Amino acid sequence: MSGTFVGMPAFPEAAREAVRNTTLRANLRHATHTIRDKRARAVAELDDWASLREAGKQIKDHTLRNLEHYLLQLEESVTAAGGTVHWAGDADEANRIVTDLVKATGESEVVKVKSMATQEIGLNEALEAEGIHAYETDLAELIVQLGKDRPSHILVPAIHRNRGEIRDIFEKEMGSWGRPAPEGLTDTPAELAEAARLHLREKFLRAKVGISGANFMVAETGTLVVVESEGNGRMCLTLPETLISVVGIEKIVPTWRDLEVFLQTLPRSSTAERMNPYTSTWTGTAREDGPSTFHLVLLDNGRTDTLADEVGRQALRCIRCSACLNVCPVYERAGGHAYGSVYPGPIGAILSPQLRGTQSEIDASLPYASSLCGACYEVCPVAIDIPEVLVHLRERVVQGGEVTRHGTKVTLRPAKGHAAERAAMRAAGWAFGRPAALRTGQRLASGTRRIHPRTLPGPGRAWSATRDLPKVPAEPFRDWWRRTNGGQTEKGGKK
Ligand code: SF4
C-alpha cells in the first residue's frame, strides 16, 4: 500500500521541509523544465491552439451547466450497453460499493489503471482493509506503491525520484510483491522498464478484476475513454473478466464530437505528444471481447458543492493534464507532497479545498500556496483562471462564514495566522471608508517616514524578511496633486 496524506502539516510547514531537500529540488527542476519546454514546442505547432482552448472551455462549461441532464443520459446509455451504474455521494460510499463488487467476484486481488479518482477516495487502503490487494500497473504508480511513497505529480507520480532511487526500490521491494527484479539491475531506463514489464506481466495474466478511472465519459453512447502512454491501461481494461470504473461526475462530455477537442489538447499539454499513444474506449460489455461485467461508479465527493460556487466551479473543467504543475514556481520548489493531497500544484490548491472544504489547517493554507504569477492560467488547455479562484478561496478562508458540504451547512473557521490578516483588512476597510481619517493617516505616515522600521515587528517579520517595505513618499499624492493643480482636488473640485 502507498503512504497516505492523512495527518500532513499545513502547506507552509510541509514546504519548508521540502525546499531543504536538495535532491528533491534537483529532480523536480530537471523534470518540470524538460516537460514544460517540450509542451511549449508541441502547442506552438498548432495555429488554432487558442480556438481549441476556448472550445474546450465552452464544452466543459456547457456540460457543467447541464450536468444532471447529461449524467442521466449517460446512465441510460451505459445501462443499455450492458453496464451497471452506481452513484456514490462520497468516498466512503464509493469504497463500499467497489469493495462489495470485488468481494462478489470471490477474488482477492485486482489490477489498476492509474486513476486520480481512486486515489482521492483512498480505494487501495479501503480494499486492503478488506483483504483485497490492489496492484498499480502504471510505471510511476508502481514505483510509488513499491516505495510505500505518496504521489507527487498528477501525471508523473514519481517525479520526485531519480533513476538510482528507482533501481534501489525495485531491487528491494519487487520480490515481496511478486516477481523480483532481475539480478544486476542497473539504472538505465530500458532495464528499469523491462524489470517493471516482467513484474507486471504475471499480474495482468492472473487478474480477474480490473479497476480504472476514466479521462472522459461520452453521454450520448455511454462510452468511457482512458488515455495513457504505456499500454498497461489497455491490458487492465481488456484482460480481466470484471471491470470497475470509478469516475468523477465532472468527467462527462455530451458527444463523441467533443472528444475531438480534448484528444488534441490533452496529449500536447500533458506529455507534449501530438497524439496519445494508447487511447482505449469501451461501451458497456460485448460478447467475447473484453470484460463480461462492467460497473461504473459515478463519484460526487464534493463536486456538487463545488459546482454551486460561481467562481470556484471552473476547477471542474480540469482535464488533469498537469501543465499547470510544470510551470508553477512554487510547485517546482516545494514538490507535490507539501500540498497534502493527491492533487498537487496550482490545480490542487484550488480543487482540494473545494472538494474537502477549507475547515482543516492544510486546506485553509492551500489557497496561499501560490505567488499568483498567472503562469498556470496561461498554459491551462481549458482556461481555468486559477489565480482568480485562489483569491476567491483566500477571501473565503479569511472571512470564515458558511458553505454547504455534502448537503449540510458548515461553518468555516479562519486558519491560524489569518486573524492578523483579517484585522489588517478590517482596519484598511475602515480607513478607506473615511477620507478625512485616511488623509490624516497618510500625512502622519509621510511626516514620520524617517523613523519607520525597515522590517515589520511580530508576525509580520517573516513577510518583511524577504521583501522590501515600500518607501512612504515625503508628501501624500493627494496633497501633491492639490499643490500642483492650483488647489483642485483629484476629482476636479476646489478644496
Ligand atoms: S488546471 Fe488546467 S493546466 Fe492544470 S491540470 Fe487542470 S487542465 Fe491541466
Side-chain angles (χ1 to χ4, degrees):
M1 212 176 3
S2 309
T4 72
F5 290 97
V6 176
M8 285 278 298
F11 184 84
E13 201 184 317
R16 198 173 303 127
E17 277 301 307
V19 294
R20 288 199 191 110
N21 184 338
T22 48
T23 309
L24 172 77
R25 288 182 60 172
N27 293 350
L28 281 171
R29 186 179 159 74
H30 173 71
T32 54
H33 279 252
T34 306
I35 306 175
R36 85 166 67 153
D37 294 346
K38 282 167 72 181
R39 175 216 156 263
R41 285 195 294 275
V43 165
E45 287 180 353
L46 293 183
D47 292 338
D48 61 346
W49 180 258
S51 312
L52 284 168
R53 185 178 189 238
E54 181 60 24
K57 173 178 184 259
Q58 297 287 346
I59 293 167
K60 282 283 182 177
D61 278 349
H62 165 82
T63 315
L64 290 170
R65 271 198 306 274
N66 301 282
L67 191 58
E68 188 181 344
H69 165 76
Y70 288 118
L71 283 171
L72 292 174
Q73 188 185 7
L74 176 82
E75 181 182 35
E76 210 174 292
S77 312
V78 170
T79 309
T84 308
V85 176
H86 309 258
W87 299 83
D90 58 20
D92 287 345
E93 194 176 358
N95 286 333
R96 209 165 39 244
I97 292 169
V98 178
T99 308
D100 288 347
L101 289 171
V102 178
K103 277 184 178 172
T105 65
E107 294 297 316
S108 59
E109 50 181 43
V110 300
V111 284
K112 283 187 70 206
V113 188
K114 181 179 172 334
S115 147
M116 300 304 297
T118 60
Q119 282 179 18
E120 176 189 321
I121 61 176
L123 179 63
N124 288 12
E125 292 73 25
L127 289 171
E128 195 69 37
E130 295 290 329
I132 300 164
H133 306 294
Y135 298 117
E136 296 290 350
T137 65
D138 171 83
L139 178 56
E141 289 289 0
L142 175 71
I143 295 164
V144 168
Q145 187 172 46
L146 291 177
K148 298 180 187 63
D149 203 349
R150 288 161 299 174
S152 65
H153 190 275
I154 290 176
L155 193 74
V156 200
I159 197 169
H160 55 290
R161 297 288 193 188
N162 60 32
R163 287 191 277 149
E165 291 175 301
I166 294 168
R167 195 244 351 257
D168 294 346
I169 291 171
F170 279 10
E171 267 187 345
K172 198 159 152 259
E173 301 293 340
M174 266 184 175
S176 52
W177 288 77
R179 183 178 174 136
E183 286 280 316
L185 180 68
T186 71
D187 67 357
T188 58
E191 279 198 35
L192 293 174
E194 181 62 8
R197 219 174 266 133
L198 294 170
H199 178 79
L200 290 171
R201 190 158 298 155
E202 62 172 25
K203 299 201 169 2
F204 287 132
L205 295 176
R206 202 171 59 215
K208 298 277 185 290
V209 181
I211 295 182
S212 82
N215 295 89
F216 306 101
M217 305 183 285
V218 184
E220 66 176 351
T221 54
T223 305
L224 271 74
V225 184
V226 161
V227 297
E228 40 119 12
S229 302
E230 297 167 14
N232 65 299
R234 176 78 51 89
M235 305 277 261
C236 294
L237 297 168
T238 51
L239 291 177
E241 291 163 8
T242 300
L243 174 61
I244 305 167
S245 301
V246 183
V247 190
I249 53 175
E250 82 284 15
K251 291 296 182 73
I252 199 165
V253 293
T255 66
W256 270 82
R257 181 98 198 256
D258 300 318
L259 283 180
E260 175 190 334
V261 173
F262 299 113
L263 293 183
Q264 292 183 75
T265 51
L266 180 54
R268 284 179 196 259
S269 301
S270 53
T271 49
E273 286 161 313
R274 292 175 181 147
M275 213 181 131
N276 205 66
Y278 290 86
T279 301
S280 301
T281 67
W282 69 101
T283 309
T285 55
R287 271 169 63 114
E288 295 172 8
D289 182 16
S292 52
T293 309
F294 169 56
H295 295 276
L296 171 59
V297 182
L298 290 170
L299 177 71
D300 186 321
N301 205 31
R303 285 158 174 80
T304 314
D305 298 333
T306 305
L307 194 57
D309 186 317
E310 278 182 28
V311 179
R313 69 171 62 137
Q314 55 186 307
L316 297 177
R317 293 205 295 259
C318 177
I319 55 172
R320 312 279 190 265
C321 71
S322 74
C324 57
L325 278 67
N326 301 331
V327 295
C328 177
V330 176
Y331 176 85
E332 183 188 323
R333 286 157 182 83
H337 292 157
Y339 293 79
S341 158
V342 295
Y343 302 112
I347 182 59
I350 62 168
L351 194 59
S352 306
Q354 295 200 84
L355 295 181
R356 305 192 298 201
T358 44
Q359 301 96 316
S360 73
E361 211 175 323
I362 183 152
D363 286 317
S365 72
L366 286 177
Y368 294 85
S370 168
S371 64
L372 301 180
C373 70
C376 47
Y377 171 62
E378 292 298 322
V379 296
C380 179
V382 282
I384 299 172
D385 194 340
I386 294 177
E388 182 189 26
V389 183
L390 285 167
V391 172
H392 171 69
L393 291 175
R394 287 180 188 186
E395 189 185 335
R396 222 204 236 182
V397 171
V398 172
Q399 296 290 343
E402 278 192 338
V403 294
T404 305
R405 187 136 310 284
H406 304 314
T408 46
K409 292 265 184 215
V410 175
T411 304
L412 301 177
R413 285 176 285 105
K416 253 196 287 177
H418 294 137
E421 185 179 350
R422 192 153 56 144
M425 289 299 156
R426 281 210 180 122
W430 183 90
F432 286 127
R434 292 166 179 78
L438 181 64
R439 197 163 43 243
T440 307
Q442 286 174 328
R443 283 176 183 162
L444 191 64
S446 291
T448 58
R449 71 196 177 100
R450 286 186 203 289
I451 56 168
H452 287 177
R454 298 174 74 91
T455 55
L456 291 175
R461 186 170 302 149
W463 190 89
S464 58
T466 52
R467 296 168 178 86
D468 293 329
L469 284 181
K471 285 196 178 111
V472 176
E475 182 181 30
F477 172 79
R478 292 182 204 205
D479 290 356
W480 170 84
W481 180 272
R482 208 167 296 128
R483 183 169 55 77
T484 54
N485 287 276
Q488 284 215 338
T489 68
E490 60 279 18
K491 287 184 182 160
K494 280 270 184 191
K495 183 88 181 172

